[in-house]
Every structure is written in C-alpha cells, then in structure tokens.
Amino acid sequence: MTFSDNIPGAGDASTLVTTTGGGANQVRVRAYNERLVLSLVRRNAGVSKAEIARLTGLSAQTVSVIMRSLEKDGLLMRGEPTRGRVGQPSVPMRLNPDAVYSFGLKMGRRSADLVLMDFVGEIRLNRHFTYPYPDPRRIIDFVTRGIADLEAKLSTTQRAAIAGVGISAPFELWNWAPEVGAPAGAMDAWRGFDLQAEVAARLPYPVYLQNDATSACGAELVFGIGPRYPDFVYFYVGSFIGGGIVLNSALFVGRTGTAGAIGPLPVRNKNGETRQLLEIASIFVLERLLRDRGIDPQPLWYAADQWIDFGEPLEIWIRDSAAALAQAIVAASSIIDFSAAVIDGGFPGWVRERLVRATVEELNKLDLQGIVVPDIVEGQVGAQARAIGGASLPIFNRYHIDQTVLFKEIENAEGA
C-alpha cells in the first residue's frame, strides 16, 4: 500500500477530485481515506466499521473495502465481535502495535534518549546517554551506535517495519551555554550544524526534526489529554522550560514555528524582579540550588523517573516554579481562552503532582478578575514525552492525516 499526499476535504473513494498540479486521481483520494480511517481508529480504539462510516461520511461499502485492505496489510486488527440488540455483531477494530515501528531521539542539554516506539505509542526499547553538555560528534555517535544496537534486537520482519527516525531537539542550542556549564565556545559547534542531514547521511531511514517542546506537546495531544481538551497551553519542564499551544485539537506553531515557546514569558520572582520564565521554572535552576548546598545534582540526569527527594532545595524550587507557572498561565489565558493548562516535565510523577498542586495554590493568590481560569492538569505522557513526540513524526507523516483535518472531519460528521 502506498500512502501519498494528504488531500484535505477528500470525500468518498469513488469521487474524483482535482488537486493542484495533479489533476483527478482516485489513488490519491483512496490514500487520503486510508489515512483518515487510521487516524480515527487511533483516536477511537475499538471503533467499528459502522462508526467509521458515520464519522467520515464515507459509504459503508467504501469503509469496508478500506478496512479490509488495511487489515490485510497488517495495520489494523479486529477484536472480538460484540452483539447488540438488533442486527449483525459489531467488530471493534484497533491498530496493530506490531505493524509499524519508529525511532525517536530526544536530545537535551544534559542528556539524550533514543527509543524504539510501536504503532500505538508504546516504547519497546530505549537507550539513555548523559553528558555535561551536548557535543555534535558525540550525539551522532550515540544515535548511530544506538540504532544499530536496537536493530540487532529486532527480527527481520520488525526491521522491515521501521518507518523512520524522528528527532526532538532544542533549537539554537548555543544559547544559554553558561547556564549548563559548557566551556566558553564549546556550544558554538552547533551553529550551522544540520543535525537532521547529518543523521540522515548515516542511516537508511527518512529522518524528521522538530523542536523538543513542540514534540512533547504533540505527544500529549495524541497520546495524552488531547481527546478531552481541544485547546490547551502546554508546559514541559526540562533543563530549560518549553511548551506548546493546541488550538482546535491541532498544534499551533505560528508563522516561524516558535509559537508557544513559553520560556521567554516575563514573570516576577519572589523578590518582585521581572525575569523570564525559564530563569525560574527550569531544572538547571534546581541543579544550581543543589550545588549551592553541596548536594550532588547528577541524579537529576540519570533517569527522569528515578529522582530522589532532595528535601528543602526541591521544595524551594517547586514553590518558586509554581509561582512563575501560575503567572504564565494567567498571561496565556488572558490572550486565549484555553480549556486546560498542562504541566509535565523530565521528572517523576510524584514531582509533577507536587508541582501542579503548588501551581493551583499559587494561581488562587493572583488577581483573576476577567480571567477564565483553565483546568490545571498533569501531563499524561510523562518524562519521555519528547522522545515519544519525536518517534511519532515518521509514523504520522506516513500513515495519518493532519490532526486539523481529522478533527474537522469529526466535527462536521457529528454536527450533521
């Protein structure tokens, strides 16, 4: 099966459409409809053919043909039939986890993660690499050696099902080098370094690149709270805090791709001084607090889900970060009526829970007149959100339609 160009607004597979420079092409319409069906099954695991037909407006016959084809290709699998009061039994359909795999690389300022993800977003294998600061050569070596190592654990069939490599990385890595303790000029090696091209030159797979916080936000949209909240502002607390914006159930990246960067938002610290959000609510600030108290901060970077309780320094950081996040949420909510503000980060769930609870407390201390306060919720994807978001890039590029089109299709069908 060939999944080709997305065609927004394509109808039944029997309909001929005209595309820019492409003319009428039934094959491309069929490809669009296949992507649409896969996207809906991903969003609604266990959906039946009749429900797909209702949601898409496609004929029952067309849906049946498409789903049989997808099942034959191993992309869909059927569950046990369920019988209603009348009519034929309903057969729930799900994505086949083993149908497609992809590699995801999260490259941060202190550590990198390489994961192998399956078709439903589960991490099957992973590798972790820590460093004092990222060096291009060491990152390339980690990726190439790591992928070779993970490939060796796969069968021939599994290796043939790899869709590509998705990279989730901060942009302009050379900024804030002193904050991560890099020697003078060491981070300048990233200026003009094309990470995507360098990785692609060494691997037999297509390679995709996206900002790390945007990737994490995309993972939350698809695998986390997305089905419950059509609009949310997203905060991912890593070495440096970043974020994203979801509007109408789609990522909004803006004119230059930097919308929702979050970090530069001006907030006041506990001394009443105006600072950027990233100068308060970032893990490098906690690292500095620990060092000032003679506590080894290295456990922060060993494994995001295995932090120890650092006691007073951690509590100070949580309180300061929460106060800054509360201000950022109010600022964001004064511009867009978000239904939720999502907080996640490179730390264990118990830290995230404390940070969210403290943020709610700090928010209630602010002047909220004229503000519709969004739900303040924990992210569901967790510390690996950036790697999962990166690994999603090849899969969604090849097998799914743009989320904006997907939700428009759903809304149009449900409103009919």
Side-chain angles (χ1 to χ4, degrees), residues 103-378:
F103 291 110
L105 169 69
K106 181 279 293 185
M107 191 193 73
R109 292 175 172 84
R110 289 292 196 208
S111 64
D113 288 284
L114 179 67
V115 303
L116 178 76
M117 191 181 80
D118 66 23
F119 202 32
V120 298
E122 293 295 324
I123 294 177
R124 297 293 188 91
L125 299 168
N126 65 83
R127 292 290 180 270
H128 183 68
F129 177 41
T130 60
Y131 37 74
Y133 60 90
D135 174 84
R137 292 167 299 179
R138 297 180 72 190
I139 293 296
I140 293 296
D141 184 64
F142 169 67
V143 175
T144 53
R145 289 177 181 269
I147 286 180
D149 182 32
L150 297 183
E151 284 177 327
K153 300 180 182 299
L154 304 177
S155 67
T156 301
T157 300
Q158 289 173 318
R159 288 196 296 272
I162 295 173
V165 180
I167 301 173
S168 169
F171 293 164
E172 298 186 354
L173 269 166
W174 53 89
N175 288 332
W176 297 88
E179 280 66 28
V180 297
M187 299 287 280
D188 288 343
W190 288 103
R191 294 181 186 272
F193 185 84
D194 191 334
L195 180 60
Q196 181 179 7
E198 293 292 338
V199 171
R202 292 165 173 79
L203 297 174
Y205 308 114
V207 178
Y208 305 84
L209 175 69
Q210 190 173 69
N211 174 264
D212 58 338
T214 303
S215 294
C217 186
E220 190 65 43
L221 169 62
V222 176
F223 301 111
I225 63 116
R228 290 191 288 125
Y229 294 101
D231 308 287
F232 61 86
V233 58
Y234 178 81
F235 300 86
Y236 188 91
V237 185
S239 301
F240 290 76
I241 191 170
I245 291 174
V246 168
L247 298 176
N248 299 321
S249 298
L251 278 174
F252 178 77
V253 297
R255 177 176 56 86
T256 63
T258 58
I262 302 298
L265 265 174
V267 296
R268 290 184 180 273
N269 65 15
K270 57 189 173 185
N271 298 321
E273 301 163 329
T274 299
R275 293 285 186 268
Q276 289 190 339
L277 178 63
L278 62 83
E279 296 179 71
I280 301 173
S282 295
I283 294 177
F284 89 87
V285 179
L286 175 58
E287 180 184 51
R288 183 183 296 163
L289 281 171
L290 295 175
R291 280 209 178 96
D292 290 345
R293 287 161 174 75
I295 302 172
D296 182 8
Q298 285 305 306
L300 293 174
W301 315 112
Y302 290 152
D305 58 350
Q306 295 179 12
W307 280 21
I308 62 174
D309 190 336
F310 291 100
E312 181 191 24
L314 179 60
E315 181 60 28
I316 292 172
W317 178 76
I318 286 175
R319 281 294 166 188
D320 291 349
S321 297
L325 283 167
Q327 295 174 65
I329 291 169
V330 169
S333 300
S334 70
I335 304 299
I336 298 175
D337 184 17
F338 291 108
S339 54
V342 184
I343 299 173
D344 210 338
F347 36 57
W350 59 269
V351 174
R352 181 179 60 232
E353 189 275 332
R354 285 172 60 179
L355 181 58
V356 169
R357 186 173 67 245
T359 301
V360 173
E361 293 173 2
E362 293 295 332
L363 190 70
N364 290 329
K365 299 176 184 178
L366 300 176
D367 181 0
L368 301 176
Q369 184 174 359
I371 301 294
V372 178
V373 179
D375 293 345
I376 314 300
V377 299
E378 297 182 46

Side-chain angles (χ1 to χ4, degrees), residues 37-49 51-52 67 70-82 90-99 119-120 400:
V37 168
L38 286 172
S39 298
L40 288 169
V41 174
R42 177 178 294 282
R43 180 173 167 83
N44 306 274
V47 68
S48 68
K49 294 178 182 178
E51 291 169 316
I52 288 289
M67 295 187 83
L70 294 174
E71 186 179 5
K72 180 181 178 182
D73 287 343
L75 295 170
L76 293 182
M77 55 193 301
R78 60 179 61 202
E80 291 296 323
T82 57
S90 175
V91 179
M93 302 298 290
R94 293 179 172 81
L95 298 180
N96 177 7
D98 297 312
F119 202 32
V120 298
H400 293 278

